Amino acid sequence: MTGNKEAYFYLASSLEKIFPDTDCVKKNDQHTISIFKGELPAFLLVYGSSSNYDGERKHFAEGFTYEIKGSPSPVRVRDVELVPSAFPCYEQTDEWYLKSQPGLFPDLLCPRETNFVRLIPGQTRSLWIDFLDTSAIVPGTYQIDILIYGKDEKEPYQILTVNLNVLNKVLSEQTLIHTEWFHADCLADYYHIPVFSEKHWEIMEAQIVLAGKELGINMLLTPIFTPPLDTAVGGERTTVQLIDILQDADGSYKFDWSRLKRWCDLCLRNGIKYLEIPHLFTQWGAKAAPKIVVTVDGKNVKKFGWHTSALDSSYQSFLKQFLPELQSKLIEFGYDRDHVFFHISDEPGMDCLESYKAARESVKESLKGWQVVDALSEYSFYEKGIVQHPIVSSNHISVFLKNKVPQPWVYYCCGQSVTVPNRFFAMPSWRNRIMGVLMYLHGIKGFLHWGFNFYNSQYSISHIDPFFNTHASYAFPSGDAFLVYPGPDEKPMSSIRAQVQREALDDLNALTTLESVVGRERVVALIMENAEEPFDFEHYPHGADYILQLRERMAELFIQEGQKN
């Protein structure tokens, strides 16, 4: 820090969240990042000025400009903007929250048009800076200088340095299956455009590009019919149904698969390797059919929905014709049975064991040979064979891991708010990023989160403005319902949480990369070097330093082994 009347500038890791009142006592002029080729590393340029700033450095009265020199790859700079949260957490928390009171939280990443940055008196702010396309960089250590200039000055006021250490190996390809539920209807609702209009397709693709090509999301919820998710009993969400369905006079059905073909093509070209089919039955008990619109006698009608019981003969007859044809078309469009996942009903509990079991049995033959997964907390459902491939909440996964459930999946959402990792506004970023190490240690096959772009209130009773209402109308702590923001130019804007989660995936892939060189035993030993047993989803190192130091120790071990060879 320079002085009370001077602007101040320093570097911080991407695991810091800079609030307007962040204390600037600690100052870092240098920062080191070690990566394998292909990672997307980031850091923060932190800046601010005192509230009574008016004196010694008048060339900072309005702001500053920056220049970045020495980078071996393109550099992207974004403003970290503050977003309101009137509901940052539940009443029960733990000691590892940043704040528990409503306020403004750093989250939104806004693209910059110039290199001029305005100083806001009395506030500390930050820029998110990352290195794009590192896959082709020549290995080595690069000194990257960030030069800070005052108004009309030709000589830099301060020079900050990032040392980027690029290792001589390409990052292993992601094997984790990662889905964040994509809510296509929310995009049409937010932008006030017709569902599946050309503009809707453009906006959806922009978000899918961000998901698949940058954020490590490789499975997408595919609205063959309107997903029966977070919808009030008896209510409905905006219809978003890829398949046009016609019922003939004899009761049989004809299907138009053209929009599904377009969807599959869109996904394939944007890194989406897997498709997730919406649940065949409603949430909270698998008691009804999802909303499905059918053309009957020239009119579109809600043929199935809350008014249709799960085992209704007309719905069961529909599924018996629909599912085999759907499966055939998915294969034709590039997604075979190894790359498609079906659902029965979301998060069944003991109170709906029988109804879930009956729904599952009703489609058992139609889904034979295809992958069926469901979010689950009750181990007894797995133990009894009712759910064969569970996606387990992080605060219930210990019993599944203890019993060595093969190829485990994990998820978290609003309910996982104490002890376990999560990504609420009010949580530190290391609590998000530690998931990469945890998933490596425990051999996790897949990760699911329900909120990629849910811009509705709870139960989809109303639509929201996600730049103001960040909690689904006080239903979920801010940071749960959506990961990206709908930009004013119809392009998505990312968040700190999305980018840090991407870094967690890079950690996971980096550990796999290192394993290919030194073996799993040595990688696990390295992870445990500065940690304690047990190292699981409820017990793990707290703080950013553990993760940052682990990455540097990984680089050191890789370099040592390289010299031996």
Side-chain angles (χ1 to χ4, degrees), residues 164-447:
L164 182 64
N165 180 25
V166 182
L167 302 172
N168 189 21
K169 195 169 181 64
V170 176
L171 188 71
S172 294
E173 184 177 352
Q174 180 177 314
T175 59
L176 179 81
I177 302 173
H178 177 196
T179 182
E180 305 270 340
W181 282 351
F182 187 88
H183 302 276
D185 59 320
C186 289
L187 292 175
D189 294 331
Y190 179 81
Y191 288 107
H192 305 290
I193 55 176
V195 170
F196 298 134
S197 62
E198 286 304 310
K199 182 60 68 176
H200 190 210
W201 280 105
E202 291 172 10
I203 292 170
M204 287 193 297
E205 180 154 20
Q207 287 213 354
I208 292 170
V209 167
L210 176 59
K213 291 194 172 181
E214 180 167 331
L215 299 181
I217 296 164
N218 55 14
M219 183 161 84
L220 211 64
L221 185 65
T222 298
I224 56 170
F225 47 71
T226 307
L229 299 168
D230 218 277
T231 306
V233 175
E236 63 177 281
R237 297 174 61 157
T238 297
T239 299
V240 54
Q241 180 174 309
L242 284 169
I243 316 300
D244 283 336
I245 306 171
L246 173 68
Q247 185 174 22
D248 287 336
D250 64 359
S252 63
Y253 297 93
K254 292 181 180 178
F255 308 104
D256 182 346
W257 305 100
S258 56
R259 281 200 298 262
L260 178 63
K261 172 69 163 60
R262 183 172 181 174
W263 178 274
C264 291
D265 289 345
L266 185 160
C267 290
L268 286 170
R269 67 175 174 262
N270 290 305
I272 306 300
K273 296 182 177 181
Y274 305 90
L275 296 184
E276 183 179 6
I277 305 303
H279 303 70
L280 300 179
F281 305 92
T282 53
Q283 280 182 304
W284 314 307
K287 295 179 180 179
K291 178 176 70 172
I292 298 178
V293 175
V294 177
T295 301
V296 181
D297 296 330
K299 295 181 180 180
N300 289 336
V301 299
K302 285 183 282 186
K303 178 74 174 179
F304 308 112
W306 288 111
H307 60 284
T308 314
S309 70
L311 302 182
D312 181 89
S313 59
S314 63
Y315 182 55
Q316 289 294 318
S317 177
F318 167 80
L319 289 177
K320 283 180 171 59
Q321 182 179 344
F322 177 66
L323 289 175
E325 292 192 39
L326 170 65
Q327 292 158 355
S328 177
K329 287 298 178 180
L330 288 170
I331 293 172
E332 179 183 333
F333 298 156
Y335 288 94
D336 61 23
R337 62 185 61 206
D338 292 330
H339 295 85
V340 175
F341 291 82
F342 285 88
H343 290 291
I344 303 301
S345 179
D346 188 47
E347 192 56 79
M350 291 302 297
D351 59 333
C352 60
L353 187 151
E354 292 304 321
S355 58
Y356 180 91
K357 184 178 179 181
R360 174 71 179 90
E361 284 298 314
S362 74
V363 293
K364 185 175 181 180
E365 285 303 311
S366 296
L367 298 181
K368 191 173 183 179
W370 291 78
Q371 300 178 94
V372 181
V373 297
D374 269 323
L376 186 68
S377 296
E378 293 283 352
Y379 180 72
S380 61
F381 274 65
Y382 172 78
E383 192 174 33
K384 295 176 181 178
I386 300 169
V387 178
Q388 294 179 331
H389 302 288
I391 304 175
V392 186
S393 55
S394 57
N395 57 333
H396 291 91
I397 198 172
S398 58
V399 64
F400 291 80
L401 296 176
K402 181 180 179 181
N403 286 284
K404 301 187 185 306
V405 172
Q407 298 185 316
W409 285 56
V410 67
Y411 84 90
Y412 59 69
C413 62
C414 58
Q416 288 62 56
S417 60
V418 178
T419 306
V420 294
N422 212 313
R423 63 190 194 204
F424 300 160
F425 283 11
M427 289 179 172
S429 285
W430 55 259
R431 194 163 175 171
N432 178 351
R433 187 166 165 178
I434 194 64
M435 280 293 288
V437 181
L438 284 166
M439 289 191 293
Y440 173 82
L441 270 179
H442 296 285
I444 299 298
K445 178 184 179 181
F447 172 72

Side-chain angles (χ1 to χ4, degrees), residues 57 499 552:
R57 293 282 178 182
Q499 300 303 136
E552 293 308 308

Side-chain angles (χ1 to χ4, degrees), residues 456-458 462 464 469-476:
N456 286 345
S457 67
Q458 187 181 28
S462 62
I464 65 165
N469 183 339
T470 57
H471 40 69
S473 295
Y474 299 99
F476 317 117

Side-chain angles (χ1 to χ4, degrees), residues 514 517-518 522 555-565:
L514 184 60
V517 177
V518 304
R522 293 185 67 184
E556 291 171 4
L557 178 57
F558 177 81
I559 292 170
Q560 290 172 8
E561 289 301 312
Q563 290 174 345
K564 290 179 182 179
N565 298 330

